[in-house]
Amino acid sequence: MKSINHVRPRAEHVAAPPRRLCITAHGVPIEICASEASILKRIESGLPVGSRRIRRTRDAASYAFWKHPSQALYGLTIDCAWLAGPAPLDDVLAVFEPHLIMRIAERAPHHTFVHAGVVRFHGRGIMLPGYSFAGKTTLVAELVRAGALYYSDEYALLDRDGFAHPYPRPLQMRKPGERTQTSIPVGEIGGVAGSEPIAIDLVAFCTYKKGGRFRPRTVTPGRAALEMLQYTMSARHAPEAALGALQRVVTGAALIKGTRGETSQVIDFLAKRFPA
């Protein structure tokens, strides 16, 4: 698939497509234009958590979906810079969706997005930083099955005081050995989503290793903050705000790091550390 950034669209692509959807998500305004109403309807059904419709605003980033002359392919621009295509619509949407979430996460004015799972287990806030394929969702799902309140399987949404807010998107589950994700609402695994901000009582850096044993060691607040920074979406766009939120987390939380095997090892550790 062709994906080119910062390339000026052709002359026929200068005017915005006639149909428009304007939203804000976590304080970030977004405009989405398309030549077909069906595209906007499809996008609206899968908008990021926290999105709501607004009137058009001048400071919104503007995504535009274009119908290619072939009538079978589409292109995507953002603020008149070419982003993806020409390609089938599904492929263009596969570029658009993570790009949209990334833009929101990098520019949210009141929250810091960190790649991390978050649950409330036995009344304690647990944060599990890590990138995709690190086993976050698997661990979060098992903690939910063990009675934890679900906050997120992908982003810790931190406010300026270091409290984590709910980001209860459907869990993105993968079958062993597969990269394709399936969206599963937390209720389908018997869980409940949290509704109130929580303090983080424990940050656990857990790396999965087949056959591994979970024997975590304590890490210092400084090292934990630096490690969390690499998972922080706004680290480059708003470094001071990001560091402030992370420092408030590490100041009040226990901080551990270790390789884990089966999820039951971590759950047993947490149950002993935080009895019900």
Side-chain angles (χ1 to χ4, degrees):
M1 178 176 177
K2 185 179 179 182
S3 180
I4 304 174
N5 290 317
H6 309 301
V7 176
R8 187 177 297 278
R10 295 193 299 270
E12 64 266 34
H13 290 160
V14 172
R19 296 172 177 84
R20 181 178 291 108
L21 170 65
C22 297
I23 65 168
T24 183
H26 305 284
V28 181
I30 302 289
E31 177 185 69
I32 306 165
C33 304
S35 55
E36 300 172 10
S38 59
I39 296 176
L40 294 184
K41 186 175 293 186
R42 181 170 172 180
I43 289 170
E44 191 168 17
S45 68
L47 287 171
V49 172
S51 300
R52 61 180 178 85
R53 295 192 70 151
I54 58 170
R55 293 183 179 181
R56 190 180 185 188
T57 176
R58 290 184 177 180
D59 59 349
S62 183
Y63 289 91
F65 287 81
W66 308 94
K67 190 69 175 287
H68 192 265
S70 71
Q71 298 300 308
L73 303 177
Y74 294 81
L76 174 64
T77 62
I78 178 170
D79 295 334
C80 294
W82 199 261
L83 184 62
L89 181 59
D90 284 349
D91 290 348
V92 175
L93 286 170
V95 173
F96 163 74
E97 290 165 357
H99 195 279
L100 173 63
I101 293 172
M102 178 76 74
R103 187 173 189 91
I104 293 167
E106 288 178 343
R107 291 166 171 77
H110 306 300
H111 294 99
T112 296
F113 282 68
V114 182
H115 273 295
V118 181
V119 298
R120 188 180 184 190
F121 183 70
H122 292 179
R124 304 300 184 100
I126 311 295
M127 183 173 171
L128 306 163
Y131 290 124
S132 298
F133 300 100
K136 295 193 309 299
T137 297
T138 301
L139 182 52
V140 166
E142 290 306 312
L143 282 164
V144 168
R145 291 187 177 104
L149 276 178
Y150 174 63
Y151 274 71
S152 178
D153 72 333
E154 182 64 13
Y155 295 115
L157 194 60
L158 304 176
D159 64 24
R160 293 170 181 173
D161 295 319
F163 283 77
H165 291 244
Y167 191 84
R169 70 169 193 170
L171 288 90
Q172 303 301 299
M173 306 289 288
R174 295 184 181 90
K175 294 181 180 179
E178 294 186 0
R179 297 181 66 88
T180 303
Q181 297 176 329
T182 300
S183 295
I184 300 178
V186 69
E188 290 190 11
I189 62 171
V192 177
S195 59
E196 300 293 334
I198 56 171
I200 298 298
D201 298 290
L202 176 72
V203 178
F205 300 94
C206 301
T207 304
Y208 173 74
K209 181 179 180 181
K210 186 176 181 180
R213 298 183 65 183
F214 190 56
R215 294 176 174 174
R217 66 185 187 277
T218 300
V219 296
T220 65
R223 182 173 293 275
L226 285 175
E227 186 151 351
M228 289 170 66
L229 193 62
Q230 69 178 309
Y231 303 121
T232 301
M233 310 294 284
S234 59
R236 293 184 180 179
H237 189 77
E240 292 185 7
L243 277 171
L246 297 181
Q247 287 171 350
R248 286 171 175 80
V249 170
V250 301
T251 297
L255 310 165
I256 61 172
K257 182 176 182 178
T259 300
R260 71 168 179 87
E262 299 302 316
T263 55
S264 59
Q265 298 173 359
V266 182
I267 294 172
D268 289 344
F269 173 88
L270 294 175
K272 292 176 181 177
R273 188 175 186 113
F274 304 125

